[in-house]
Amino acid sequence: MTLHRANDNYISKTESLKTKFASRIGDAIGWGNLVGGILFGTYMLLDPQITTFMEYPVPFGMILLGLLSLWVSKQRGSETVRPHVYLLNYMLFPLILLYFIEDAATTIWSLTFLYLLMAMALQSRRMLLYSFISSMVGLSILMMTAPKQLTVLLGIEDHIIRMILFSIAGIIGLIVLYSIKDKEKLLFHYIHKAEETAYLDPFLKIPNRFDFNLYVDHKLKSSQLLLWKLELNQFQSVYDVLGHKRTDELLLMVKQRLEAKMSGDTYLAKGEGSTFLGATSNFEADELDSNLKQILRYLVAPYDLFGHDYQLNFNIGAALSGPDGDSSDELMRHAQFALDQAKLDGINQIVFSSDKLKSSTMNQVQISEALYQANLDSEFHVVYQPQIELKTNQIVGVEALIRWTHPQMGMISPGVFIEIAEKNGFIVPLGKWILEKACWEVQMLSDSIGRPLKLAVNVSFIQIRQDGFVEEILQILKKIGFQPDRLEIELTERSLFENRPEDLAKIDALRAKGIRIAIDDFGTGYSSFGILAKVQVDKIKVPRDFIENVDSNQNSQRIVTTIASMADRFQLTCLAEGIERLEESNFLHQLICQEVQGYYYAKPAVINQVEKWLSMPREKIISTISSEAADPVLE
Ligand code: C2E
Ligand code: MG
Ligand code: MG
């Protein structure tokens, strides 16, 4: 595991100044030796008489050492060699002094003192040690070669005292430096631990999304990236079946498979929930799709968990830096939209964030903002689509459907904006507004025709999750005087499936008050039968997907017949939606299907239009509708 965050070092400004300063000193000594060596050599050449045989190697040594230290200081990663070269430099200094200065011995001590101070300032144990050794070596050489020079200004006992004092200072210096380094180590250890907690997934031991974002932003400066987001489908049900520990084990296996199959240039991280994130650099554009497909194929092979085989499904959304953005934020957003699209397409799908997707993303952002700024009373209104009882041909109720006319963008379909309103939370105030408005208008209509009309209202799962959802509905009904048993709440399978037990309890609470519950678009979600086991409902609505051409399509016939007889078994009302043709309607007459709804009978219309229809015989409504066929919605 490598954390991107850990690559950032925590060296403070003073610390990096110190390092710079130390290497500048090395450079200065190098240059000093080089220039000194050249000057010294020239001097010797010009005045050969004063030169003895012993002196010749000195200028060469200086030049060589100078070059060596300058070369070393230019090398990257030469941290281990550099101190040794500096040591040679230090040692050479006292030797050179011997040839130039009379009182070399005194100067050696002054130099040692200077080195000692520098070593302490730079907190360098090596420098401390080396400067001391070099002084000792210089003194020893002096002692052997020119004992007289040693005692020009200082007596031998002065040297001994200095040696003792400097040794004590050196040892104290070393102890201080060791304790500083020790504390530093401890500090780094804690920083590292804190970093791990903040930037690492505790169980999978791979970076989390915070580290991933830092990595992506850093990497984007130098290379193009493919950012992909992989999601394990139906994680909640996997979790429900396997429990916490086994789900963790399973995620670990997924991680191992990902690591085994992805290219070496991919940075893998754990996203929120059951998602993994990958950032791939150095790729061939035309191989991207096949590479991801290969990973996916490997991931969907069965997982052996405690002796059982588990088959998992995934989806991948991918975005490319450049066309899809130049920051982790933008890329993540596009990868998420691509992933959403992949999920809509089915299971084990890979979707790349294309331009089309991008423009729809832009659109989504626009719509999301427009929703927040919308004026409910002036931009929104409710239309009603009659629901007809097949046996009597009577309009027994209406379904409320929301309409939005934006001042600039014009009519926006609920099929588009409801999902966005669910994402940005606007569905909560909007849903309340719809319920209140619809109850009010239908109550007025019922009063005016003198017959209680049923009202069906679509409710989003986001609304159910709100605290006080049940109380709010009951309050609205009470305020308007709308009888609870005339209200039907339409929920989609998805909303029922994704809800927690406490939310399903709210549905029970509504039923206890007499409010009816219908499952909208039955059979199009994840687990139609599963829902019936989870919660008690009153009605199922067969969607247009199955009704379309039901008179001629045998598969649709089988599906619709099965759903209708199942509804009968469960003693639920069955309503067929989206009937557009007489033939479709005729087929339904043969089944146990109590209610129908569709353009063939009546399109969604404003409440005044519904009132007119209510006073007409059904045949008249149908002929009215057919004559207005060009207009998709009667409003
Ligand atoms: P839904 O609840 O299944 O509503 C039925 C949709 O089918 C409506 O589309 C309706 O106009 C349309 N429809 C009815 N009969 C026919 C037909 O014969 N042929 C065809 N092709 N279509 C027919 P609409 O009004 O565009 O609503 C689409 C979806 O948006 C609704 O599906 C519902 O899921 C959602 N929605 C609409 N209004 C609301 C609302 O007030 N609250 C919430 N949460 N969702 C709503
Ligand atoms: Mg509906
Ligand atoms: Mg429906």
Side-chain angles (χ1 to χ4, degrees), residues 399 458 490 520-522 541-544 577:
E399 176 180 3
N458 295 284
E490 289 193 12
D520 206 351
D521 304 333
F522 186 85
K541 293 185 80 177
V542 187
R544 164 139 186 86
E577 262 195 300

Side-chain angles (χ1 to χ4, degrees), residues 43 61 165 194 207 266 352 374 378 410 505 567 572 625:
Y43 170 74
L165 285 177
T266 299
F352 283 82
S378 66
L572 305 174
I625 299 280

Side-chain angles (χ1 to χ4, degrees), residues 581-620:
R581 294 183 300 115
L582 173 68
E583 294 77 8
E584 291 164 357
S585 162
N586 284 342
F587 178 81
L588 292 166
H589 272 280
Q590 307 162 20
L591 306 177
I592 323 155
C593 182
Q594 293 82 1
E595 292 175 13
V596 282
Q597 185 182 340
Y599 291 175
Y600 174 69
Y601 299 94
K603 289 182 179 173
V606 288
I607 199 81
N608 292 344
Q609 179 64 60
V610 177
E611 188 170 5
K612 278 186 210 158
W613 286 337
L614 279 165
S615 57
M616 291 180 197
R618 186 182 68 87
E619 291 70 22
K620 190 80 194 301

Side-chain angles (χ1 to χ4, degrees), residues 31 57 77 81 98 129 168 205 232 303 310 377 445 475 526 570:
W31 278 110
V81 192
L98 289 177
L129 214 63
I168 294 171
K205 298 283 178 225
L232 166 60
Y303 290 77
Y310 283 92
D377 289 314
L445 176 64
Q475 225 172 3
Y526 306 107
F570 278 82

Side-chain angles (χ1 to χ4, degrees), residues 55-76:
E55 288 164 345
Y56 274 114
V58 178
F60 288 112
M62 284 169 77
I63 293 170
L64 229 99
L65 209 66
L67 287 173
L68 186 67
S69 20
L70 289 176
W71 177 76
V72 162
S73 95
K74 293 280 166 293
Q75 296 303 304
R76 278 187 173 192

Side-chain angles (χ1 to χ4, degrees), residues 435 439 468-485 487 489 506 509-515:
L435 186 72
C439 284
F469 166 73
V470 176
E471 293 71 22
E472 192 177 273
I473 293 185
L474 296 176
Q475 225 172 3
I476 291 173
L477 295 183
K478 199 170 160 203
K479 190 170 82 182
I480 297 170
F482 200 98
Q483 289 156 311
D485 59 357
L487 178 68
I489 284 183
K506 291 182 189 172
L510 288 175
R511 284 193 83 242
K513 293 285 174 189
I515 295 169

Side-chain angles (χ1 to χ4, degrees), residues 384-389 394-400 438-439 441-443 445-446 449 451-457 482-490 514-518 538-539 573-575 594-596 607 610 614:
Y384 302 88
Q385 185 173 34
Q387 297 182 328
I388 289 124
E389 192 178 51
Q394 284 254 329
I395 296 178
V396 283
V398 287
E399 176 180 3
C439 284
E441 289 190 334
V442 171
Q443 184 60 37
L445 176 64
S446 298
I449 61 170
R451 175 157 77 86
L453 211 57
K454 286 194 291 178
L455 165 68
V457 179
F482 200 98
Q483 289 156 311
D485 59 357
R486 281 170 49 216
L487 178 68
E488 190 167 84
I489 284 183
E490 289 193 12
I515 295 169
R516 290 162 54 87
I517 305 291
D538 304 278
K539 187 191 256 187
T573 309
C574 174
L575 182 148
Q594 293 82 1
E595 292 175 13
V596 282
I607 199 81
V610 177
L614 279 165

Side-chain angles (χ1 to χ4, degrees), residues 382-383 385 399-403 413-418 422 427 430-431 434 457-460 463 490 492 520-521 541 544 577-580 584 597-600 602-604 633:
V382 182
V383 291
Q385 185 173 34
E399 176 180 3
L401 295 158
I402 186 73
R403 294 291 175 261
S413 152
V416 173
F417 74 80
I418 291 289
E422 282 175 345
I427 193 73
L430 181 67
I434 295 166
V457 179
N458 295 284
V459 166
S460 154
Q463 289 170 264
E490 289 193 12
T492 57
D520 206 351
D521 304 333
K541 293 185 80 177
R544 164 139 186 86
E577 262 195 300
I579 294 145
E580 288 187 358
E584 291 164 357
Q597 185 182 340
Y599 291 175
Y600 174 69
K603 289 182 179 173
V633 179

